[in-house]
Amino acid sequence: MLRLLQQFFRLTLLLLITSPAFAWNAAGHRISAMIAWEQLDADTRAAVTALLRQHPDFDRWQTRGKGVDQGLTAFLEASTWPDDIRKDQRFYTAGIEEPTPTLPGFPDMERRLDWHYVDRPPNPAGTLQSSPGKIDRQLEVLAQTLSSRKATPSEQAYALPWLIHLVADAHQPLHAASRYGRDGRSDNGGNALAIINPYSTRHPSMNLHRYWDDLPGPPWLRTSRLESAVKWLTERHPPPASAGTPTLWLDESWQIAREHAYPPGEDSVPTISAAFHERALEIANRRVTAAGYRLAGLLQHLLRGAKKPRGTGTNDPPAPRNVPRETESSLYPPDPGCVHDGDRRQWEPSITCVPNRNWAAESRLPPDR
């Protein structure tokens, strides 16, 4: 009997650590999106709504969200859309499934799982396997698409939900870091580390990545409860002193992951302590809130002056200009500078302004990972 229980336990842990985890769960993404929406001015809300109306799933979002304000409903549903399509049979996972037919309005039907993260070792050492994660590069590409005068309304409508989603992903510590074993293998942002979470009655056994994903709240958080959560968070957490760029957001997440994302100790299956849980909740609350404020600033910067989708006639913008990859800072709001350490709590990372940090060299990974 004891042997059967041990086998069952090992099987359960195997399922836990091999099940793919998303980014912040739906609650975390909706919270960040709602905070952003409340910060947007009327013109930017109108521009965002007009673009989302061009998205092939706009009507689906209205049906599912059941909101009164169609713009807000689409914005909230779009914030979880890149995770929702993981279970949508219209889409496929590259390298695992055969491509599905491309439907009108989509560039293709790939789920793009590698857009959600980038693996950076907390303590680079040895020879490591390369990470396929692309969030750092894709945030820049998506911002270029929204600001480009050459992009079509369809291209921008596809880019917008991804940008909304990935800004929040960039603020999840375990979407910017992974521990590596002696064999050079990644733990996939904590997905491969099983934990015991006594603060979850429904899922006391899970992986560390899922633990962090679930911290902002239950995935069913919507309507008045969502509004109450946003009000509580914004009353306690003002906008971050630094708006920053994806480089800074991911640096912050990496440093938080390095210092606070992993339970202390050497247990193969660690148990979350009260102190660790309290600190993790505080970190998660601040990160989802900061993501919302920063998303609002980014959208107002990218869509300034736009009141209708480009190419629809009235209010079309002037002639296009090319934006080179090297000018990341020009795609993001002007930043008064890095956050001063004196404004930070103990858990918060000490960030210095290091543009274009060479993560590939530091982690001894190939540049094209």
Side-chain angles (χ1 to χ4, degrees), residues 35-77:
I35 291 172
W37 184 264
E38 290 183 349
Q39 303 298 313
L40 295 178
D41 59 39
D43 284 351
T44 307
R45 285 187 183 182
V48 164
T49 301
L51 281 176
L52 291 177
R53 285 186 183 277
Q54 305 294 313
H55 195 281
D57 280 354
F58 181 82
D59 290 338
R60 286 174 178 249
W61 295 337
Q62 301 304 315
T63 300
R64 187 171 65 178
K66 300 178 181 178
V68 176
D69 183 333
Q70 289 192 335
L72 173 58
T73 298
F75 195 71
L76 294 177
E77 295 301 315

Side-chain angles (χ1 to χ4, degrees), residues 276-295:
F276 182 91
H277 188 62
E278 181 180 359
R279 183 172 62 246
L281 280 171
E282 174 69 7
I283 292 172
N285 286 340
R286 284 183 177 270
R287 294 301 282 170
V288 295
T289 307
Y293 287 128
R294 286 166 164 172
L295 174 61

Side-chain angles (χ1 to χ4, degrees), residues 134-153:
K134 299 178 180 178
I135 188 172
D136 48 350
R137 288 169 280 177
Q138 289 306 319
L139 278 166
E140 186 178 339
V141 170
L142 294 166
Q144 287 181 9
T145 300
L146 280 185
S147 65
S148 173
R149 301 316 192 238
K150 291 184 176 181
T152 67

Side-chain angles (χ1 to χ4, degrees), residues 310-334:
R310 296 175 176 84
T312 58
T314 308
N315 296 322
D316 275 359
R321 64 181 182 88
N322 293 324
V323 182
R325 176 177 171 80
E326 289 75 13
T327 59
E328 176 195 50
S329 60
S330 68
L331 296 170
Y332 294 86

Side-chain angles (χ1 to χ4, degrees), residues 13-21 174 178-179 185-195 206-210 262 268-270:
L13 289 182
L14 179 62
L15 291 173
L16 284 170
I17 65 177
T18 56
S19 298
L174 289 178
S178 290
R179 281 185 174 175
R185 292 183 180 274
S186 165
D187 74 355
N188 297 320
N191 275 302
L193 177 60
I195 64 165
M206 59 175 61
N207 64 56
L208 183 66
H209 192 106
R210 181 176 176 181
Y262 287 84
S268 59
V269 183

